[in-house]
Amino acid sequence: MKLLASPASPYTRKVRIVLAEKRIECDTQNVDVQPVENPVNSHNPLGKIPTLVLDDGTALYDSRVIVEFLDSVSPISRLIPDDMRDRVAVRRWEALADGVLDAGLLVRYESLREKNEQSAAWSAKQLARMRRGMEQMQSELDGRPWCHNGRYSLADIAVGCCLGWLAFRKPGGVDWHAQYPGLAQHYRKLMERQPFADTVPQLPK
Ligand SMILES: N[C@@H](CCC(=O)N[C@@H](CS)C(=O)NCC(=O)O)C(=O)O
């Protein structure tokens, strides 16, 4: 298996943490997906990372599909519960965390455009979406040790990847860690786990 990846990508980090938690060996190839023609396109028509290329050449995307696949191929450290209600709750956390990230990435991409092409209204809408998402995460976490049902799961991994990237890129110049102390505390606890400590977002070399 080969993971097409970037050390800065939060969705890639989610997959890398799941691989480590489940002790699944996988090669990683860092790729640059900014050019229109890039090495991911021949595997994934969306040209996005993470993309997981299986040994038979099948390519899996996006991160939600990849983590579901990985969780099901090994019984070690189950991260997505079997029970339907619990599974839906965990995946809802993931959707929330990924949604905040999606908005953060849009803010970042907008800020990289020429100044006269940027839309302040568009960025403000995305920042408001992020703020509501962060508030929801903090209020649902409410000092609990883990996001769902008292145990570490994909929900915590998704939330941690979201928080780590927001601290790394600070979209909109906002220090989300300072504004949401409950979430910052949760992130500090996650960083005590080796898979989190080993995958801190970095600029590609
Ligand atoms: N929903 C996708 C999001 C993937 C995504 O947006 N990846 C970014 C990197 S963090 C990307 O490949 N961007 C390239 C582009 O949009 O052109 C997932 O969960 O995998």
Side-chain angles (χ1 to χ4, degrees):
M1 282 196 307
K2 185 172 67 180
L3 180 66
L4 304 178
S6 158
S9 160
Y11 310 97
T12 299
R13 187 184 191 192
K14 195 203 306 177
V15 172
R16 290 177 66 205
I17 290 171
V18 168
L19 283 164
E21 294 286 3
K22 298 192 66 74
R23 296 188 210 111
I24 297 173
E25 295 287 328
C26 182
D27 293 335
T28 298
Q29 183 187 337
N30 287 329
V31 288
D32 180 4
V33 287
Q34 293 316 318
V36 177
E37 294 307 326
N38 67 62
V40 179
N41 292 346
S42 58
H43 300 284
N44 172 356
L46 307 176
K48 290 191 177 195
I49 48 169
T51 293
L52 182 69
V53 185
L54 304 183
D55 292 342
D56 68 0
T58 308
L60 300 184
Y61 41 85
D62 59 7
S63 66
R64 297 186 210 183
V65 171
I66 297 171
V67 297
E68 179 163 351
F69 170 76
L70 295 174
D71 199 40
S72 66
V73 293
S74 162
I76 298 173
S77 307
R78 288 308 297 266
L79 297 167
I80 304 173
D82 283 332
D83 176 79
M84 189 271 279
R85 291 264 171 189
D86 288 331
R87 189 168 66 245
V88 168
V90 164
R91 306 241 65 172
R92 176 176 175 268
W93 269 105
E94 184 186 24
L96 180 58
D98 282 9
V100 169
L101 268 179
D102 292 342
L105 276 156
L106 290 175
V107 171
R108 176 170 159 72
Y109 291 151
E110 190 70 10
S111 74
L112 299 177
R113 290 157 60 102
E114 295 295 330
K115 278 262 176 290
N116 63 346
E117 290 178 357
Q118 292 178 21
S119 162
W122 170 255
S123 296
K125 181 176 178 184
Q126 304 310 325
L127 284 166
R129 183 174 283 163
M130 287 170 64
R131 189 170 303 108
R132 289 194 305 271
M134 304 288 281
E135 279 164 9
Q136 181 81 13
M137 287 196 266
Q138 179 160 271
S139 89
E140 288 200 23
L141 201 51
D142 195 24
R144 290 185 181 87
W146 304 113
C147 291
H148 181 69
N149 218 10
R151 66 182 287 255
Y152 176 75
S153 73
L154 177 64
D156 300 283
I157 296 174
V159 168
C161 292
C162 171
L163 298 175
W165 185 83
L166 294 180
F168 172 58
R169 291 293 197 192
K170 296 191 176 50
V174 181
D175 185 350
W176 299 100
H177 261 52
Q179 292 194 1
Y180 298 97
L183 294 178
Q185 188 188 348
H186 196 59
Y187 188 67
R188 278 194 296 277
K189 191 167 68 175
L190 289 168
M191 281 292 286
E192 289 167 10
R193 299 182 78 91
Q194 203 58 44
F196 269 89
D198 288 344
T199 56
V200 174
Q202 292 174 19
L203 293 179
K205 292 197 181 92

